[in-house]
Amino acid sequence: MTIEYQMDVPMPESKRRNSVYPWDMPVGASFFVAGMGHNTISGRAQYKTKTLGFKYSMRKVTEDGVTGIRVWRIE
């Protein structure tokens, strides 16, 4: 069996989505995610810490009667 290469075949668009969260925010800034579990957002923050080199802290909070996670950039 011989496999031949082909030229000029366009590559499909990546299915990877851009983050909807502002991970590249300045130190001291924060964002609130309603209804998101701590483990879900924590995993995303850990990934961004590794890729961007930033550090985050998060707390479960209730704002205007809505419970969610607030994420702060600390470094």
Side-chain angles (χ1 to χ4, degrees):
M1 179 167 106
T2 303
I3 298 175
E4 297 179 20
Y5 66 86
Q6 299 171 323
M7 298 295 292
D8 300 321
V9 176
M11 185 184 308
E13 290 292 320
S14 172
K15 293 184 180 189
R16 190 175 202 181
R17 298 184 344 228
N18 291 331
S19 179
V20 297
Y21 306 110
W23 295 109
D24 58 349
M25 61 191 168
V27 174
S30 67
F31 63 89
F32 177 76
V33 182
M36 180 69 68
H38 186 273
N39 290 339
T40 302
I41 199 76
S42 177
R44 293 175 184 180
Q46 287 176 0
Y47 175 76
K48 288 300 182 178
T49 296
K50 289 179 184 178
T51 59
L52 297 175
F54 301 158
K55 291 188 180 178
Y56 305 93
S57 185
M58 58 201 75
R59 301 287 185 273
K60 182 178 179 180
V61 296
T62 301
E63 298 183 5
D64 298 325
V66 178
T67 301
I69 303 295
R70 180 160 289 279
V71 180
W72 289 266
R73 178 169 168 211
I74 57 173
E75 283 185 30

